[in-house]
Amino acid sequence: MTSLQQGTVDTFKEQFAGPVFEPTDAGYNEARQIWNAMIDRKPALIAKCSSVEDVVSAVNFGRDQSLLISVKGGGHNIAGNAVCDDGLMIDLSQMKDIEIDVEKRRAFVGPGCTLADFDAAAQMHGLATPLGINSTTGVAGLTLGGGFGWLSRKYGMTVDNLMSVDMVTADGRQTRASANENSDLFWGTRGGGGNFGIVTRFEFELHPVGPDLLSGLMVFPFDQARAVVTQFARFTETMPDELNVWLVIRHAPPLPFLPESVHGQPIVALAICYVGDPEAGEKLIAPLRSFGDLHGEHVGVQPFVNWQQAFDPLLTEGARNYWKSHNFVKLTDDVVKVALEYGDKLPSPHCEIFIASIGGQTGRVAPDAMAYSSRDANYVMNVHARWETPAEDERCRQWARAFFDATKPHASSGAYINFLSEDDTDRVEFAYGESYERLVEVKQKYDPENLFRINQNISPH
């Protein structure tokens, strides 16, 4: 940005209602920090939007000054797409308005909202929509990449529940997209990442959920992992949509229901959530206890908002993170074998392998109904390398890459774009799958100069 004149910056600040940070300003370093400490980029300007008008001003300024533009919602993206070097970081984190229409079961959500913000507002009325599992995640980035969580087997992907968006496109226009208005843009927005513009409001369908649900953890010793994982793979093939069970291999955190002797030891955990009558859920999950000899369990009826925050202590910001991910139609014996091999050599106490069960309603939507097309994925595996110091970088990343390579022959088509790391640019076309060519057409129409390219980018050229 060496060619950008200070007078030009000053003029932009005068017409921009929110704060604007330059590198020498107090607050700049805090404003550029995001969840993944592996990302250390330094924008030339950080513009914290307070309104849609601010978003329009920022987009026009960045385009007219030929600046690289990044967009921050929650700042949780593993690849660090919220922040860029030497360009303009458009920060939406202050735009947290939420409106719940109880009668119509609709939520109108600002782009700065986190899952915690959305869940709290909707659960006041016993309503929810499928979101992720870490409450500090931003609603915007999660949604634009597809979005899944505990409710997805019953109610689908997050994008399956997206009814409309208000957006600022690359030319600075305010645009609405829905099934009936700019339907091509709406198609692309549902799974196409932030490629087509900046969403300033999301409209979601809501469903009756809780507010209290049966949920919790069952923890088994790792030396019984083969039996636990194999039975998990078979059990999840036939469980009803209301039930979701995920599997985690990691070192045991100091959970109060586990004996101290188990803390720090390798374990296999089942994370459980049942969207329905708790008594019926208890009968359904009873067989899980026979998968092995339990170290301990903490399963019961609790507020859904509490369960949505249960994993937050393991996913705090400031650690170094690197992910690799595959989709699977089926967890074969070969996949189980590889998972156990790499689960037995976790390179740091914070690393984990988690396998999310989706399927159910997520698989009943046509692959071409929207940009998110991985409708054959019954499981999403995330190899989550997480550690504390730069000295551990190579060891932890190599472990994740090796595990990813070893499971690749057994994976299905497509990939979840929200789990693609900074070095996964060569997987972008594969990740979008059969939607890619149509996504290019949408990109050519709404962002032909690729202004929005700090994302899992769809090139218009």
Side-chain angles (χ1 to χ4, degrees):
M1 206 182 88
T2 53
S3 62
L4 191 62
Q5 299 297 314
Q6 188 61 46
T8 307
V9 175
D10 292 341
T11 301
F12 170 61
K13 288 181 176 181
E14 289 172 3
Q15 66 182 22
F16 191 87
V20 178
F21 296 96
E22 297 180 66
T24 56
D25 291 340
Y28 169 84
N29 280 320
E30 181 181 355
R32 71 181 181 88
Q33 297 301 320
I34 56 173
W35 176 76
N36 185 4
M38 289 284 285
I39 309 300
D40 183 24
R41 300 184 194 137
K42 297 177 180 179
L45 286 177
I46 301 173
K48 288 202 165 197
C49 300
S50 61
S51 65
V52 177
E53 289 72 26
D54 273 356
V55 177
V56 172
S57 293
V59 169
N60 287 338
F61 178 77
R63 183 194 62 247
D64 293 346
Q65 299 300 322
S66 301
L67 294 174
L68 193 63
I69 291 177
S70 66
V71 183
K72 177 186 177 183
H76 214 281
N77 178 262
I78 185 65
N81 291 332
V83 59
C84 59
D85 275 323
D86 301 321
L88 173 63
M89 176 177 171
I90 300 177
D91 186 339
L92 310 174
S93 61
Q94 294 183 329
M95 297 177 65
K96 285 179 170 287
D97 290 347
I98 300 179
E99 177 188 342
I100 304 296
D101 186 327
V102 178
E103 185 177 337
K104 294 182 179 179
R105 290 183 178 171
R106 292 288 188 270
F108 301 90
V109 181
C113 292
T114 64
L115 307 196
D117 298 327
F118 187 179
D119 284 332
Q123 280 287 279
M124 287 179 64
H125 309 284
L127 299 170
T129 207
L131 296 169
I133 67 160
N134 179 200
S135 76
T136 62
T137 303
V139 171
L142 175 99
T143 302
L144 296 173
F148 66 87
W150 303 115
L151 306 180
S152 289
R153 288 180 47 77
K154 177 68 174 174
Y155 294 122
M157 303 291 290
T158 306
V159 283
D160 297 338
N161 295 274
L162 185 63
M163 308 307 292
S164 73
V165 294
D166 292 347
M167 180 183 291
V168 176
T169 49
D171 56 5
R173 287 188 302 117
Q174 296 183 48
T175 304
R176 174 162 293 181
S178 68
N180 301 316
E181 193 173 359
N182 297 307
S183 58
D184 55 347
L185 180 60
F186 188 53
W187 179 91
T189 298
R190 289 176 291 165
N195 269 282
F196 312 110
I198 298 178
V199 176
T200 56
R201 190 174 80 155
F202 297 83
E203 178 189 358
F204 292 101
E205 182 179 10
L206 296 170
H207 306 275
V209 172
D212 296 326
L213 294 181
L214 178 68
S215 54
L217 291 171
M218 296 180 184
V219 179
F220 300 89
F222 186 76
D223 61 13
Q224 297 178 16
R226 183 174 298 280
V228 175
V229 179
T230 301
Q231 291 177 91
F232 162 82
R234 302 293 82 81
F235 178 89
T236 51
E237 290 177 343
T238 59
M239 64 185 178
D241 293 352
E242 292 77 12
L243 179 60
N244 208 339
V245 184
W246 292 14
L247 182 138
V248 183
I249 297 173
R250 61 167 295 128
H251 292 146
L255 298 170
F257 65 89
L258 294 178
E260 282 192 24
S261 59
V262 176
H263 296 177
Q265 298 301 307
I267 52 106
V268 182
L270 300 179
I272 301 155
C273 184
Y274 183 72
V275 189
D277 176 59
E279 288 189 15
E282 280 285 4
K283 293 176 183 176
L284 287 167
I285 68 172
L288 301 178
R289 296 185 176 92
S290 66
F291 285 7
D293 300 318
L294 280 165
H295 273 321
E297 69 168 86
H298 185 73
V299 177
V301 178
Q302 63 177 313
F304 178 60
V305 291
N306 291 6
W307 179 238
Q308 280 285 79
Q309 298 174 27
F311 294 91
D312 288 2
L314 302 178
L315 295 166
T316 54
E317 66 178 35
R320 304 175 76 79
N321 297 269
Y322 179 81
W323 295 354
K324 299 294 282 187
S325 178
H326 284 306
N327 292 341
F328 296 92
V329 174
K330 182 181 178 69
L331 298 178
T332 64
D333 291 343
D334 288 333
V335 175
V336 172
K337 181 181 178 182
V338 177
L340 298 179
E341 177 188 349
Y342 282 85
D344 196 30
K345 48 187 179 184
L346 298 169
S348 107
H350 310 293
C351 291
E352 66 181 27
I353 299 164
F354 87 69
I355 300 174
S357 304
I358 50 174
Q361 179 58 30
T362 68
R364 300 189 187 110
V365 177
D368 62 354
M370 60 190 73
Y372 177 82
S373 62
S374 297
R375 300 299 178 170
D376 62 342
N378 291 317
Y379 304 92
V380 180
M381 181 188 73
N382 192 23
V383 188
H384 184 179
R386 180 176 169 90
W387 63 99
E388 296 178 359
T389 67
E392 302 169 84
D393 285 3
E394 193 57 29
R395 182 178 80 249
C396 291
R397 284 187 294 193
Q398 282 300 112
W399 169 80
R401 290 166 179 160
F403 183 22
F404 171 83
D405 289 342
T407 47
K408 187 174 182 178
H410 314 292
S412 58
S413 60
Y416 183 52
I417 68 166
N418 287 341
F419 286 173
L420 298 187
S421 285
E422 188 180 8
D423 61 0
D424 273 328
T425 53
D426 61 333
R427 297 191 72 215
V428 169
E429 185 172 346
F430 172 82
Y432 287 123
E434 60 188 66
S435 296
Y436 188 76
E437 288 187 9
R438 186 173 171 188
L439 281 165
V440 171
E441 294 175 3
V442 178
K443 182 74 168 179
Q444 289 169 340
K445 179 176 178 179
Y446 290 96
D447 186 16
E449 300 303 318
N450 207 10
L451 183 69
F452 301 111
R453 58 186 182 274
I454 308 298
N455 45 43
Q456 301 303 342
N457 193 235
I458 299 157
S459 173
H461 308 300

